[in-house]
Amino acid sequence: MTQVQTKPAAAPAAAGPPAPRFPRKREAATGWLFVTPFVVLLIAFLLLPMAYAFKLSLYRSTLIEGEHFALFENYTQAFQDPLVREGVLRVIVFGLVQTPVMIGLALLAALLIDHATSRFSRIFRLAAFVPYAVPVVIGTLMWGFLYSKDTGPLSAVLPLDFLSSSWVLASLGNVVTWQWAGYNMIVLYAALQGLPREVYESARIDGAGPVQIAWRIKTPMISSALVLATLFTILGTLQFFTEPLILQPLNPGSITQHYTPNVYAFNQAFSFQQYNYSAAISFLLGAVVFVGSYLFLFATRKRSAL
């Protein structure tokens, strides 16, 4: 009797991935729909004003000739203006002193809060961040009252004229440090919270103390956050504007109309109606900020991933 061999039935082919519910074009359109508000605001409030300001910087306006195309004459005048050079030099000196002080205080506060485990660490963290929540104008007005020779309580305690030509730069640095140290502290503290705790335990087993752990382990591991906070501080320092402008009426002899490049550009535009020259000073300052930021990132490129 011949046996009939039957082949087993073939298994059904595995079903492929389900077809996408929405076409790719619709997904792309949805993405652009979310991005559009940002793009519109970016163009309307940044790119277009910058383009208009750059156009202004290429023209000159005189009573005889009116407004005429001058190409880079405003920039040449700004390069040769001793008041511009004086203001740029002042903010550079201010940044060289104030930036390490503020970043150092922010790092110290972040390390102390990260080491502390009590409930008071939350209170201290909030207290250090509160000055950043205060508007810059209000904070500067408050410090102007404290610095006043006639009504300020600081002058009653310390026999110093805080807004004199000898102390005004240090007084302004104190205002900026009070305003922004808490913000930098939060940035560094957030970076510390992301570090693995096992590294600390290994260091303690090897005999490292709290100071060694903070200096030799924690600080190098948050180098990227330190570079970022320092970069933001440099950018803010070179664009120094609000604090000297608010405190200028208290002592116009010490805080002059050309005290910083931004203050000088502001007064050229709104006190002397030199809008073209003011625009040129602003773009020249932007170039200084760009070069300074690039040099700092280039110098710290091996220590961070930025």
Side-chain angles (χ1 to χ4, degrees), residues 34-290:
F34 282 105
V35 174
T36 298
F38 169 77
V39 174
V40 171
L41 293 176
L42 178 68
I43 294 175
F45 295 102
L46 181 62
L47 298 182
L48 288 180
M50 286 183 62
Y52 180 70
F54 182 70
K55 173 183 174 295
L56 283 179
S57 69
L58 299 179
Y59 285 79
R60 303 197 76 167
S61 180
T62 60
L63 293 176
I64 299 177
E65 299 179 357
E67 189 174 63
H68 62 279
F69 185 70
L71 197 57
F72 297 120
E73 289 184 14
N74 290 319
Y75 292 94
T76 304
Q77 180 183 350
F79 269 113
Q80 298 174 352
D81 193 339
L83 300 181
V84 174
R85 294 198 298 267
E86 179 184 341
V88 172
L89 180 61
R90 182 177 287 112
V91 296
I92 290 175
V93 172
F94 177 78
L96 290 175
V97 176
Q98 191 264 342
T99 300
V101 171
M102 184 166 64
I103 296 299
L105 291 175
L107 177 61
L108 178 62
L111 291 172
L112 290 174
I113 295 175
D114 184 68
H115 180 71
T117 56
S118 64
R119 60 184 178 181
F120 295 104
S121 62
R122 296 184 178 180
I123 299 176
F124 181 77
R125 186 166 68 241
L126 178 62
F129 187 73
V130 164
Y132 173 71
V134 177
V136 179
V137 174
I138 295 178
T140 306
L141 289 173
M142 180 191 71
W143 279 103
F145 166 74
L146 296 175
Y147 288 151
S148 175
K149 291 191 303 181
D150 302 325
T151 60
L154 292 181
S155 298
V157 177
L158 300 173
L160 297 175
D161 184 2
F162 292 96
L163 296 180
S164 64
S165 57
S166 301
W167 289 95
V168 64
L169 200 61
S171 300
L172 290 170
N174 176 64
V175 177
V176 174
T177 303
W178 174 84
Q179 186 85 36
W180 293 96
Y183 171 82
N184 291 316
M185 182 269 295
I186 292 297
V187 172
L188 300 178
Y189 176 74
L192 288 170
Q193 291 296 295
L195 299 181
R197 301 293 167 176
E198 295 81 4
V199 179
Y200 309 157
E201 297 298 331
S202 301
R204 292 190 186 97
I205 294 174
D206 291 338
V211 177
Q212 291 177 317
I213 293 175
W215 181 250
R216 297 181 179 274
I217 296 177
K218 292 182 178 181
T219 302
M221 293 182 70
I222 61 169
S223 59
S224 296
L226 277 170
V227 170
L228 184 64
T230 306
L231 177 62
F232 287 161
T233 304
I234 292 174
L235 293 175
T237 299
L238 294 177
Q239 301 177 70
F240 199 27
F241 174 69
T242 305
E243 291 84 358
L245 184 69
I246 297 299
L247 294 180
Q248 186 181 21
L250 297 180
N251 196 341
S254 299
I255 306 177
T256 59
Q257 291 188 341
H258 57 272
Y259 194 75
T260 70
N262 266 340
V263 172
Y264 187 40
F266 175 84
N267 286 309
Q268 286 294 315
F270 298 104
S271 296
F272 305 106
Q273 285 73 48
Q274 297 292 327
Y275 301 106
N276 307 96
Y277 187 48
S278 173
I281 296 174
S282 300
F283 273 94
L284 183 62
L285 177 62
V288 173
V289 171
F290 176 79

